[in-house]
Amino acid sequence: MNFRILAPVDGSENSMRSLDHALMLSSKLGSKLTILYVLEIPPFVYIQSQKLVNSIMLELEKEAKEILENCLKRAKDYELEIETTFLEGQNVGSIIIDYIEKNNFNYIVIGSRGKGKFKHAILGSVSHRVLHHSKVPVLVVK
């Protein structure tokens, strides 16, 4: 069986804990693990300088790549088949759901809340959306 696990991350402590669970689960099942980072594009409505917008986006992309590199370093001892994916868009939860559906994952491991706007919510808006809209099992890690 070609079992596939998706671990969406955002660099927060919660997402790194969920990555640890995904790594452990993937190693036990001998499955392929995909680590996904979705860059939420901020609204640039009031910024009139394209140069400034480009500069902000470059910094955000740099941070995303560093987070994915840190995830791979964290995973090096597991000797797993790991793929990293970087996407960007406006609605992170919807992007993750679309990615799940298009890529036939068997299982999702996600942190209960991340670096989003509402850090103190009981369940983060992204994990909430994934939990309620995914057609495959979702493990939410606190």
Side-chain angles (χ1 to χ4, degrees), residues 7-22 74 109-116 118-124 127 139-142:
V9 297
D10 65 3
S12 66
E13 285 182 39
N14 243 3
S15 76
M16 293 298 105
R17 274 196 303 276
S18 70
L19 175 62
D20 290 339
H21 283 273
R74 202 171 185 123
V109 182
I110 191 168
S112 61
R113 55 186 160 189
K115 294 197 297 189
F118 304 104
K119 285 185 183 179
H120 303 293
I122 304 277
L123 187 64
S127 55
L139 171 63
V140 179
V141 178
K142 285 181 135 190

Side-chain angles (χ1 to χ4, degrees), residues 4 6 8 11 18 24 28 30 36 54 69 74 76 82-83 86-87 89 94 98 108 113 116 123 133 135:
R4 299 183 68 218
L6 177 67
S18 70
M24 180 197 59
K28 297 288 184 193
L36 172 66
N54 292 344
E69 286 174 18
R74 202 171 185 123
K76 70 179 165 102
I82 297 176
E83 173 186 10
F86 171 79
L87 300 173
S94 294
D98 289 344
I108 315 305
R113 55 186 160 189
L123 187 64
H133 294 279
K135 293 179 172 86

Side-chain angles (χ1 to χ4, degrees), residues 7-91:
V9 297
D10 65 3
S12 66
E13 285 182 39
N14 243 3
S15 76
M16 293 298 105
R17 274 196 303 276
S18 70
L19 175 62
D20 290 339
H21 283 273
L23 289 165
M24 180 197 59
L25 187 62
S26 198
S27 69
K28 297 288 184 193
L29 297 173
S31 64
K32 180 178 180 181
L33 177 64
T34 299
I35 302 170
L36 172 66
Y37 185 97
V38 180
L39 172 60
E40 184 174 20
I41 300 173
F44 291 116
V45 177
Y46 299 107
I47 300 176
Q48 295 189 6
S49 167
Q50 188 60 43
K51 187 176 179 180
L52 181 57
V53 169
N54 292 344
S55 174
I56 293 169
M57 286 304 295
L58 281 174
E59 283 301 311
L60 291 172
E61 289 169 6
K62 180 181 171 189
E63 179 186 6
K65 289 176 183 172
E66 288 173 0
I67 289 168
L68 287 173
E69 286 174 18
N70 287 338
C71 290
L72 288 174
K73 286 178 188 171
R74 202 171 185 123
K76 70 179 165 102
D77 293 335
Y78 284 90
E79 299 178 14
L80 296 170
E81 183 181 350
I82 297 176
E83 173 186 10
T84 59
T85 302
F86 171 79
L87 300 173
E88 54 185 58
Q90 293 290 325
N91 187 325

